[in-house]
């Protein structure tokens, strides 16, 4: 599928022939793990992470190693990765923008991680599903360090960037040998992507930018954007404050400082409606009696 190959090649410095179109990004990840990992090989998965990643590694006979950031942080550093590395470490799975936090590695942060992987001869499997859902350009591993392309595999999809969650079209790009191995796996499992799905993805790839509306809405005045009550607030210093209703009208404020675990525990144990958005007042709808009543005649 030429359009998808061209889109994937534009996001990573590889030839379009080094791109394989898959049935969603999840298959692209599974094919990659199956092609790269042998029994006992380890894949570092930075936390927080998308839930299917460890299972996909296990199904490919690999061992997922969840790599935790420092307390109070949501991004791993080379120090965190080095603490989790063993002689069996074969790959790392960065995701920027991240699912579920939405955080983005800036160029300097990504460069330190890429340099670390090159030093230890570790594969990078870069999940770039959300790269279009950001208000600034998101750097990719191959852009910050072109020399990493020999051990870089990029995974993408139309699901989020083109609002096509149910169509299941993804892709993976990388070195020729890695792509050939994944192609052989797909050939003997699901084979090609549905022609109807391919046609829909082609229309999306050649159509308007559906994420442009997000950027336009972000530029509106704050009063227009303030439609929901802010229940949880996290600052750049990772200081979190939780506001919820403990009774009928009394709000409670708890300062969690640098302890995100306490914040998560409190949110999970809130009453069912504590995290409901505050809705705007509904306009008054005239009753049947009001609509059928005779119009009032002003006094003379």
């Amino acid at each position: 599928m030429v359009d998808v190959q061209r889109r994937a090649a534009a996001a990573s410095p590889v030839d379009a022939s080094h791109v394989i179109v898959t049935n969603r990004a999840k298959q692209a990840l599974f094919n990659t793990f199956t092609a790269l990992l042998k029994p006992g090989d380890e894949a570092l998965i930075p936390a927080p992470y998308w839930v299917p990643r460890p299972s996909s590694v296990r199904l490919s006979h690999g061992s997922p190693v969840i790599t935790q950031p420092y307390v109070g942080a949501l991004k791993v550093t080379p120090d965190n990765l080095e603490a989790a590395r063993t002689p069996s470490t074969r790959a790392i799975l960065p995701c920027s923008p991240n699912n579920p936090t939405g955080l983005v590695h800036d160029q300097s942060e990504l460069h330190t991680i890429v340099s670390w992987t090159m030093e230890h001869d570790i594969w990078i499997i870069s999940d770039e599903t959300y790269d279009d859902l950001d208000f600034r350009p998101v750097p990719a591993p191959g852009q910050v360090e072109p020399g990493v392309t020999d051990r870089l595999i990029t995974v993408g999809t139309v699901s989020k960037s083109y609002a096509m969650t149910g169509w299941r079209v993804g892709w993976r790009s990388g070195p020729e040998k890695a792509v050939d191995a994944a192609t052989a796996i797909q050939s003997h499992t699901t084979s090609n992507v549905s022609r109807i799905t391919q046609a829909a993805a082609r229309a999306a790839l050649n159509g308007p930018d559906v994420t442009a509306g997000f950027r336009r809405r972000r530029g509106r005045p704050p009063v227009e954007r303030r439609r929901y009550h802010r229940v949880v607030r996290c600052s750049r210093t990772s200081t979190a404050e939780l506001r919820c209703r403990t009774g009928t009208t009394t709000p409670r404020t708890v300062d969690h400082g640098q302890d995100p675990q306490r914040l998560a525990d409190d949110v999970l144990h809130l009453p069912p409606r504590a995290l409901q958005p505050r809705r705007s007042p509904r306009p008054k709808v005239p009753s049947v009696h009001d609509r059928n009543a005779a119009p009032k005649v002003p006094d003379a």
Side-chain angles (χ1 to χ4, degrees):
M1 184 175 173
V2 176
D3 296 286
V4 172
Q5 290 175 325
R6 190 182 303 116
R7 168 65 173 79
S12 58
V14 297
D15 186 82
S17 62
H18 293 178
V19 178
I20 176 175
V21 182
T22 59
N23 295 275
R24 67 187 292 178
K26 187 181 286 187
Q27 186 188 31
L29 289 170
F30 175 77
N31 289 353
T32 298
F33 299 144
T34 304
L36 286 183
L37 302 179
K38 301 189 297 293
D41 283 348
E42 295 175 349
L44 304 184
I45 303 177
Y49 56 87
W50 184 46
V51 175
R53 288 181 189 134
S55 299
S56 189
V57 171
R58 292 189 190 98
L59 286 172
S60 304
H61 305 291
S63 299
V65 177
I66 307 304
T67 308
Q68 299 288 346
Y70 290 119
V71 174
L74 292 174
K75 296 179 184 179
V76 296
T77 66
D79 290 340
N80 304 137
L81 299 173
E82 182 61 29
R85 184 179 67 87
T86 72
S88 299
T89 302
R90 176 102 167 134
I92 177 177
L93 282 74
C95 179
S96 179
N98 179 267
N99 176 3
T101 67
L103 293 179
V104 179
H105 283 291
D106 62 33
Q107 187 153 339
S108 61
E109 293 169 336
L110 189 58
H111 186 270
T112 59
I113 293 175
V114 171
S115 298
W116 178 85
T117 64
M118 296 176 67
E119 179 184 351
H120 298 289
D121 205 25
I122 293 173
W123 283 87
I124 296 181
I125 304 171
S126 180
D127 185 347
E128 299 180 7
T129 297
Y130 304 90
D131 64 341
D132 290 328
L133 301 183
D134 194 76
F135 299 109
R136 303 174 308 278
V138 178
Q143 294 171 335
V144 300
E145 182 52 68
V148 77
T149 53
D150 289 341
R151 300 191 73 79
L152 170 65
I153 292 174
T154 299
V155 173
T157 176
V158 298
S159 295
K160 306 302 186 290
S161 298
Y162 301 94
M164 295 178 62
T165 340
W167 288 91
R168 307 306 185 197
V169 180
W171 56 79
R172 68 182 294 281
S173 62
E176 184 176 3
K177 289 185 178 180
V179 170
D180 289 346
T183 301
I185 293 167
Q186 183 164 324
S187 176
H188 295 290
T189 52
T190 62
S191 193
N192 63 287
V193 178
S194 160
R195 291 181 61 185
I196 298 174
T197 302
Q198 291 185 46
R202 182 182 296 112
L205 291 165
N206 293 322
D209 179 7
V210 299
T211 64
F214 303 151
R215 299 177 185 88
R216 287 196 300 270
R217 286 197 292 273
R218 185 175 186 254
R220 293 176 182 172
V223 174
E224 295 185 34
R225 299 200 309 266
R226 199 175 298 149
R227 298 179 58 189
Y228 298 101
H229 181 57
R230 179 172 288 180
V231 179
V232 179
R233 295 187 297 180
C234 296
S235 70
R236 291 174 180 253
T237 58
S238 299
T239 300
E241 183 181 83
L242 175 66
R243 292 178 58 84
C244 67
R245 293 191 176 277
T246 55
T248 54
T249 59
T250 306
R252 178 171 64 94
T253 300
V254 181
D255 185 4
H256 291 79
Q258 299 289 326
D259 191 349
Q261 185 62 51
R262 286 182 56 202
L263 173 63
D265 290 341
D266 269 7
V267 169
L268 289 173
H269 292 91
L270 288 176
R273 291 191 58 84
L275 296 178
Q276 291 293 320
R278 184 178 64 183
R279 305 184 188 281
S280 302
R282 294 183 179 180
K284 184 179 178 181
V285 179
S287 66
V288 175
H289 174 75
D290 293 336
R291 290 198 296 268
N292 294 334
K296 293 183 178 181
V297 178
D299 296 333

